[in-house]
Amino acid sequence: MYFKRVIATAIILMLGIWFAGCTDSAAHENENPDVEAASERITVGFSQLGAESDWRSENTESMKATFTEENGYTLIFEDGQQKQANQIRAIRMFIQQEVDYIVLAPVMETGWETVLQEAKDAGIPVIIVDRKVDVSDDSLFTCWIGSDFELEGKKAAEWLNRYATAKGIAPTDIHVVNIQGTKGSSPQIGRTKGLADAARANGWDLMAEVPGDFTQAKGKEVMESLLRQYADINVVYCENDNEAFGAIEAIEAAGKKVGSDITGGEIMVISFDGVNREAIRYTLEGKITCIAECNPLHGPRVKAMIEALETGGTPEKFSYVDEGIFSADQTVDVLNIDGTDYEVTILTEESMSGDDKNR
Ligand code: GZL
C-alpha cells in the first residue's frame, strides 16, 4: 500500500511540474509585445516647472518632440505649475516608478538637496535643464544644460549703453525700471545682476526692481503700478517677452508711446527670449527695442547627454548654449563684453519669413 502511495505522489508531482512549465511557456507566448517594447525603451521622468511663458511652451514642446517612443523613449511629463512642492512630489513619483533618468527644470535655485539625495540614493541620474540648482554637493546631479543668464543681462545692458552713447543721451538721463522674473530663479538672478552692475558702472538711474514672475498679466500689473509711482521712466527692462507684452499694454493704456526715441518722450522696452513670431513682430514694429535671445530648444541637447551616459560617456557638468541679441534699430551693430564681440542681429521683414522660432 505504501509503495502505491509513493508512485501516485510521484506522478502527481511530475504532472504539476509539467503543467507549471506549460503555463510558463504559454505566458511567454502570450506576452504583450507592447509590454516587451516598453521594457526596452528608456524611461525619462521630466519635471517641468510650469507653463508661464512662450519660452516655457517651446521648451516643453522641444522635450516632448524629442523623447518619443519612435526615438526609443517613454516620457513621463509632470507640470509643476510654478510650485516647487509639485516638482518635488513629481521627482518622488519618478523614483517610485524607477525611471531610468530624471530631468528637472527647477522653478528656483534653492530647496532641492533632500529630494536630489533621494534620487541619488535610488541610483537614478538627474539632469538639470534651463535654470540651475544651488546645492552644496554637485554630485547630486549628473549634468546641467542652459543659458548664461548674467551674460544675457550684460548684453542687454551693454546694448543700452552703446545706444545711449551713440545718441548723446547722458547716463543720468536714463531712468530705468526692472520688471524681474520669478524671484530666486537663475534667469532673474543673472539678468537682474547684469542690469544692476551696468547701472552702477554707467551712472544710470535704476529706479525699481519688481518681480513680474515671467507672465504677461503680472508684467502689466507691475508696469501699471510703476507708472503710478514714477513720471520719468524712459527705459523698461523686462526679464522676458511675456512681461514685455504686458508692460507695453500698460504703457499704451496710459497714453504713452513705446519706442527707442527716449529724448522724444518714448519709453524704450528691452526684453529677453525672442522665441516666437510675436516677439519678433513687436521688435520689427519698434515696440520692443532690443531682445537678448534665450534659447529654449533643449530637448536634443538633453537626449545627447542621455545617449552619452547610456554608452558609458561623461557629459560636461555644465553646458551653456550660444545665444544672440536682436534689434530692428541699426544704431548698435556689435557689443564687446569681457573681451568677446557679440554681433547684433538686425531684424528685417525677412526675419518673419522663417519658422516660428527666430533661430
Ligand atoms: C530662461 C527661462 C525663463 C525665460 C522665461 O531660461 O527659465 O523662464 O526667460 C521663462 O520666459 O518663463
Side-chain angles (χ1 to χ4, degrees), residues 269-289:
V269 175
I270 292 173
S271 185
F272 294 82
D273 290 345
V275 296
N276 61 23
R277 204 177 285 274
E278 187 177 12
I280 302 307
R281 171 54 55 201
Y282 269 83
T283 310
L284 283 172
E285 290 169 357
K287 291 193 169 189
I288 295 177
T289 299

Side-chain angles (χ1 to χ4, degrees), residues 5-220:
R5 264 209 317 274
V6 169
I7 293 296
T9 305
I11 290 168
I12 291 166
L13 198 60
M14 283 164 64
L15 280 172
I17 290 168
W18 173 76
F19 179 74
C22 288
T23 49
D24 184 49
S25 58
H28 272 295
E29 277 157 27
N30 297 333
E31 186 158 293
N32 179 332
D34 292 347
V35 171
E36 212 170 312
S39 66
E40 287 156 16
R41 290 196 290 267
I42 297 171
T43 303
V44 174
F46 176 36
S47 170
Q48 175 59 289
L49 67 89
E52 76 286 353
S53 63
D54 297 337
W55 189 100
R56 191 63 51 199
S57 305
E58 295 286 347
N59 180 249
T60 293
E61 178 48 38
S62 176
M63 294 291 287
K64 286 183 174 178
T66 299
F67 294 103
T68 59
E69 291 190 358
E70 298 72 51
N71 287 342
Y73 292 88
T74 297
L75 180 67
I76 306 172
F77 175 84
E78 288 294 329
D79 176 349
Q81 296 173 338
Q82 283 200 278
K83 291 183 176 61
Q84 182 175 45
N86 292 343
Q87 292 199 276
I88 289 171
R89 194 175 306 117
I91 292 170
R92 287 184 171 135
M93 189 181 70
F94 297 151
I95 292 169
Q96 280 176 349
Q97 291 170 300
E98 296 180 347
V99 299
D100 298 306
Y101 293 88
I102 290 172
V103 178
L104 169 64
V107 62
M108 61 185 66
E109 290 197 346
T110 54
W112 302 102
E113 309 257 359
T114 302
V115 76
L116 291 182
Q117 185 61 55
E118 292 167 21
K120 182 180 180 182
D121 294 345
I124 302 175
V126 176
I127 296 173
I128 308 295
V129 61
D130 179 23
R131 304 175 185 180
K132 287 186 172 176
V133 294
D134 178 9
V135 291
S136 53
D137 175 4
D138 265 2
S139 74
L140 291 181
F141 64 93
T142 302
C143 47
W144 169 88
I145 174 78
S147 304
D148 183 337
F149 301 111
E150 186 176 342
L151 177 58
E152 292 174 353
K154 286 179 175 178
K155 287 177 185 175
E158 181 56 12
W159 186 95
L160 175 58
N161 181 43
R162 299 242 169 157
Y163 178 86
T165 304
K167 295 293 184 185
I169 299 171
T172 50
D173 289 339
I174 297 288
H175 303 291
V176 52
V177 293
N178 179 0
I179 303 180
Q180 298 172 298
T182 302
K183 203 74 180 156
S185 67
S186 308
Q188 178 272 306
I189 293 166
R191 292 167 188 170
T192 293
K193 185 176 189 301
L195 174 66
D197 289 352
R200 193 169 33 256
N202 297 322
W204 299 337
D205 174 20
L206 175 54
M207 306 159 87
E209 299 172 323
V210 183
D213 223 12
F214 290 129
T215 68
Q216 184 163 341
K218 194 70 179 168
K220 181 181 180 201

